Amino acid sequence: MALNLIRKLALTSFLIFIASATASAQTLVFTAIPDEDETKLVERFRGIADYLSAELDVDVRYIPVKSYAAAISAFRNNQVQLAWFGGLSGVQARELVPGSEAIAQGVEDKAFYTHIIAHQSTGLDEMEDLSDDLRGKTFTFGSKGSTSGRLIPEFYIREAFGESPEEVFSRVGFSGNHTRTLRLVEAGTYDLGAINFSVWDKEMENDNIDSDAVKVIWTTPSYPNYQWTIRGDVDEQFSDGFKERVQEALLNMDDPALLESFPRSGFIPVSNDAYEPIRVVGKQIGIID
């Protein structure tokens, strides 16, 4: 009797394990680079999770991460199967996971921009080209792994001065995200900073910028940026054609509230090839090996 009971308990535990594993396999988990305050990200992506779950008829869960590197690591280790990456982080993640693909980008991501902003105490005004008036000032990038907050502005600073940012500025920092960059320059903690135009415009529309304290003085040429990247093995994990279904759901997203939270006017198809310029620039300045 005791032996039969043990066998029944073992069988029950096994069946529970199998059921749990099956449920887990049917949960699509995604993340996003932490380019804004975590509260804003959680609000944005909970809505996206609900939308995708309804469209795909599977459980969908968003998990926040603390850094760009953590987002890439989670994607590499299959802790997430889908991610909202910046241009650089997407290139880095796809190089680590063969077969992964960029499947959708925001309409605005095809031609993205970075602003250089300045505190009013610098006396700097809008300029056509980066000038020697910037020398000796303090400067903050966003995250070290950010396309718009670090890679692109650093590239143009090096191109304009023929020197590294550390040689041009008296102090160089990394704020961690675009919102924090804005607050640091607005407060005068740094003279200058790099912020993507999307965050700047959104904060301006929401009346969250003290325009007497900080302003845009220069804007980069356009470049490809954010995108949704998916692992190449999702069809094996879920079902045949699942990758295409995820792409279709993203492209068909038309809820104004969801799109405004990015903010984007919509999503369009994209491929890995679109981000080749990012990979090339990353190699040029030593961010990509």
Side-chain angles (χ1 to χ4, degrees):
M1 272 221 25
L3 183 59
N4 285 339
L5 180 59
I6 290 172
R7 285 175 176 170
K8 285 181 180 179
L9 289 173
L11 178 60
T12 300
S13 297
F14 177 73
L15 292 175
I16 291 172
F17 171 78
I18 292 297
S20 174
T22 301
S24 176
Q26 294 304 311
T27 299
L28 175 67
V29 186
F30 75 96
T31 194
I33 53 172
D35 59 347
E36 291 190 78
D37 293 341
E38 186 172 329
T39 301
K40 295 180 181 180
L41 294 176
V42 170
E43 289 175 359
R44 177 199 304 177
F45 290 110
R46 277 180 179 165
I48 300 300
D50 291 342
Y51 167 79
L52 289 176
S53 182
E55 291 293 309
L56 301 172
D57 197 27
V58 299
D59 290 333
V60 179
R61 183 163 56 95
Y62 163 69
I63 58 169
V65 291
K66 294 297 185 183
S67 68
Y68 283 53
I72 295 170
S73 178
F75 188 80
R76 179 184 190 179
N77 296 330
N78 199 23
Q79 294 168 300
V80 302
Q81 295 77 50
L82 176 71
W84 176 243
F85 284 128
L88 175 60
S89 51
V91 168
Q92 292 170 317
R94 291 190 295 273
E95 288 194 349
L96 294 171
V97 184
S100 57
E101 295 181 38
I103 57 173
Q105 66 177 179
V107 171
E108 293 78 5
D109 293 302
K110 188 174 182 179
F112 215 75
Y113 304 90
T114 292
H115 293 316
I116 302 298
I117 57 176
H119 189 260
Q120 59 84 20
S121 63
T122 64
L124 294 171
D125 291 315
E126 190 172 349
M127 55 186 69
E128 186 173 340
D129 300 304
L130 294 176
S131 74
D132 277 343
D133 292 338
L134 274 61
R135 283 189 180 276
K137 302 289 192 296
T138 58
F139 189 101
T140 183
F141 292 106
S143 167
K144 291 183 178 180
S146 172
T147 308
S148 53
R150 192 275 179 90
L151 176 71
I152 296 300
E154 178 168 340
F155 172 78
Y156 283 108
I157 288 167
R158 287 176 178 270
E159 183 177 67
F161 296 101
E163 299 173 275
S164 71
E166 290 75 16
E167 294 171 300
V168 175
F169 304 111
S170 60
R171 177 165 57 97
V172 173
F174 291 91
S175 70
N177 65 56
H178 295 286
T179 309
R180 196 169 297 124
T181 292
L182 172 58
R183 300 302 164 222
L184 288 171
V185 177
E186 190 178 52
T189 307
Y190 283 90
D191 298 322
L192 306 164
I195 179 174
N196 78 46
F197 84 98
S198 179
V199 173
W200 174 268
D201 288 353
K202 185 178 177 182
E203 293 295 293
M204 186 65 78
E205 289 171 9
N206 293 334
D207 200 26
N208 288 334
I209 297 177
D210 181 355
S211 55
D212 290 331
V214 61
K215 62 182 174 182
V216 173
I217 61 167
W218 187 75
T219 301
T220 68
S222 66
Y223 56 91
N225 201 6
Y226 292 78
Q227 87 293 154
W228 289 100
T229 287
I230 195 166
R231 287 179 59 92
D233 55 4
V234 290
D235 283 5
E236 299 172 18
Q237 294 185 58
F238 294 89
S239 60
D240 289 343
F242 188 76
K243 178 178 65 178
E244 285 71 22
R245 290 178 59 209
V246 174
Q247 182 182 40
E248 183 179 1
L250 293 170
L251 298 180
N252 290 338
M253 190 187 304
D254 59 5
D255 183 330
L258 291 180
L259 294 174
E260 175 59 27
S261 69
F262 276 87
R264 299 293 187 276
S265 58
F267 292 97
I268 57 177
V270 74
S271 68
N272 295 356
D273 292 343
Y275 295 90
E276 181 62 15
I278 298 297
R279 190 186 68 82
V280 170
V281 170
K283 285 185 174 292
Q284 285 179 353
I285 67 175
I287 295 178
I288 297 176
D289 294 333

